[in-house]
Amino acid sequence: MDVLRPPVININGRIYRRNIVKEEHYEEEDFSYMGPSESKDLAEGESCDSHFIEQTDKGYHCAIDVPSVLYKYIIGKKGETRRRLEFDTKTSISIPKPGIEGQIVITGAQKAAVSSAVTRVEVLVESFRKKQPFTHFLSFPLNDSKVQDGFQTFKDEVLRQFSQDHGVEESIFQNPVKLHLTIGTLALLNDTEVRKACEHLQECQTFVRDIAEGKPLPLEVTGIEYMNDDPAMVDVLYAKVNVIDGTDRLQMIADRMVEYFVSVGLMAREWDRVKLHGTVMNTLFRKDSTDLGGAGKQTTSEREAFDARNILKKFGNYRFGEFELNTVQLSQRYSTDCTGYYSSAGSISFS
């Protein structure tokens, strides 16, 4: 690590230096507060802006909502992290049993000590939250029946004409009932966080309807493109989606929603603009031919690319179909509802 430029993390507008200590099962991260120009010891006490610290007969205490899947990072290996936090801040940290949703309660004789412990727990939670896989995503469904029919024709023709091209086989095609555009991904770690995400989604309703002018958006799904630089070694082939009237209203809705969800802390910004793409072929879908059960799928590190040159030449301007989009959904990853699409935790409409 460069001691002059240590890795830092931003929590509620404050900057913390991150010191990584490798352990057997995961990397435990210790943090020290860094002010604008100098490092300070958290044990000295920092104000706690995001949580209420209550005075009691025996001192002070503060309750923090933390998803149960993150408890282990605050406890640490054999309880070492919690003991160090308690020793450094002169506080007591009570954590619910594993798997039980609840609050972490921090108590201490001094308000500054409790504030310091709260800040350090927040930093640990934020750091390890970023390492959790996403559980939900905001989506524009593309599974209109006309688009599904167009996709099925595309699939049948590609397999009929180009199944001899390297890597082209049936399992890498998207399920037609799950065709969609991803707006952004979220890691929602318990029911409370899912409910909060649904509430924030409803708060997007006004500006979404304003952009859509209170009507469904007429879309055309036409043309295909690939993600990487070499059409002979493609992992993702996607359909392009545009508003029929030529406006960029779909892009505006996606960008505004990401901006809003980033502002409330539920989404991380990856790009300046959302790259709207309807995946039609993806090598992550590929089933492992060595798996006798037929259910195995490849990981990112071992995925086998396919040669898309002939597909692009033949179907570069292929028309999948037109339809009217009228909804944004908070979709649950690895799920299926009664229609075959992803299960929805919440939705808003354009009209």
Side-chain angles (χ1 to χ4, degrees):
M1 179 183 72
D2 186 343
V3 296
L4 298 179
R5 293 188 179 125
V8 296
I9 186 171
N10 187 319
I11 302 291
N12 295 327
R14 295 181 174 181
I15 306 300
Y16 297 86
R17 181 177 62 240
R18 180 173 65 189
N19 301 318
I20 299 177
V21 180
K22 290 188 177 180
E23 293 198 348
E24 182 178 353
H25 298 294
Y26 59 86
E27 289 184 344
E28 178 188 320
E29 303 189 12
D30 187 21
F31 300 84
S32 304
Y33 179 72
M34 294 180 64
S37 60
E38 62 180 351
S39 174
K40 298 171 65 178
D41 187 345
L42 280 172
E44 294 175 5
E46 300 295 336
S47 62
C48 183
D49 300 325
S50 56
H51 296 282
F52 175 67
I53 299 177
E54 182 180 2
Q55 186 171 11
T56 67
D57 294 339
K58 297 181 180 180
Y60 296 85
H61 89 274
C62 182
I64 309 174
D65 291 316
V66 176
S68 62
V69 296
L70 300 179
Y71 293 165
K72 62 182 180 181
Y73 302 116
I74 301 167
I75 296 170
K77 186 180 180 181
K78 298 182 179 179
E80 291 176 2
T81 302
R82 174 164 59 179
R83 286 196 297 272
R84 186 170 71 247
L85 287 172
E86 291 176 330
F87 178 80
D88 289 347
T89 60
K90 306 298 187 291
T91 60
S92 176
I93 301 175
S94 176
I95 302 174
K97 293 181 179 179
I100 299 177
E101 297 295 338
Q103 293 182 312
I104 290 178
V105 179
I106 300 173
T107 57
Q110 302 295 324
K111 184 177 182 180
V114 173
S115 177
S116 176
V118 168
T119 300
R120 291 181 66 161
V121 168
E122 279 188 317
V123 173
L124 279 171
V125 168
E126 182 67 18
S127 174
F128 284 104
R129 173 184 289 279
K130 292 179 179 178
K131 298 180 180 179
Q132 304 304 306
F134 77 88
T135 60
H136 294 73
F137 58 100
L138 294 174
S139 72
F140 294 130
L142 298 182
N143 59 345
D144 178 86
S145 60
K146 294 185 291 295
V147 177
Q148 285 192 53
D149 290 344
F151 170 82
Q152 189 62 53
T153 300
F154 166 78
K155 175 183 175 181
D156 292 344
E157 287 301 306
V158 168
L159 290 175
R160 184 179 67 82
Q161 299 181 47
F162 306 120
S163 60
Q164 299 304 311
D165 291 355
H166 177 78
V168 175
E169 51 102 358
E170 186 172 7
S171 71
I172 66 174
F173 285 83
Q174 175 65 284
N175 183 339
V177 295
K178 291 195 171 182
L179 288 166
H180 69 278
L181 300 175
T182 296
I183 302 170
T185 60
L186 308 91
L188 306 176
L189 304 182
N190 58 23
D191 291 341
T192 300
E193 294 189 351
V194 173
R195 285 194 296 271
K196 287 182 179 178
C198 290
E199 292 169 2
H200 288 306
L201 177 60
Q202 295 303 315
E203 291 164 2
C204 297
Q205 181 78 82
T206 300
F207 72 73
V208 166
R209 285 186 175 173
D210 286 345
I211 296 172
E213 301 176 353
K215 299 179 292 185
L217 284 183
L219 302 183
E220 60 176 358
V221 185
T222 302
I224 56 173
E225 192 55 83
Y226 59 102
M227 283 290 190
N228 58 311
D229 297 328
D230 186 357
M233 295 290 290
V234 171
D235 282 317
V236 176
L237 194 71
Y238 63 91
K240 294 182 286 188
V241 181
N242 294 289
V243 183
I244 291 177
D245 63 12
T247 65
D248 63 349
R249 288 182 292 164
L250 187 67
Q251 185 71 52
M252 290 173 61
I253 291 172
D255 290 341
R256 283 285 301 277
M257 293 195 72
V258 168
E259 180 182 346
Y260 180 75
F261 273 82
V262 168
S263 73
V264 297
L266 289 179
M267 191 177 289
R269 183 180 295 281
E270 297 183 45
W271 314 102
D272 291 337
R273 285 165 59 89
V274 177
K275 184 175 179 61
L276 292 173
H277 62 284
T279 298
V280 293
M281 299 172 71
N282 190 333
T283 57
L284 281 180
F285 301 155
R286 191 188 303 280
K287 292 180 180 178
D288 185 353
S289 61
T290 64
D291 177 41
L292 298 180
K297 296 204 176 174
Q298 295 187 329
T299 64
T300 302
S301 61
E302 64 184 15
R303 61 199 296 182
E304 177 191 354
F306 65 96
D307 186 347
R309 288 174 295 182
N310 288 327
I311 300 173
L312 289 162
K313 184 177 180 179
K314 176 72 175 181
F315 297 99
N317 296 312
Y318 180 80
R319 294 178 60 84
F320 291 88
E322 299 178 359
F323 76 107
E324 291 190 336
L325 178 68
N326 194 38
T327 185
V328 181
Q329 295 198 21
L330 177 60
S331 302
Q332 183 178 339
R333 191 181 189 187
Y334 302 133
S335 68
T336 303
D337 66 12
C338 60
T339 70
Y341 193 66
Y342 298 94
S343 297
S344 176
S347 65
I348 56 175
S349 64
F350 295 175
S351 60

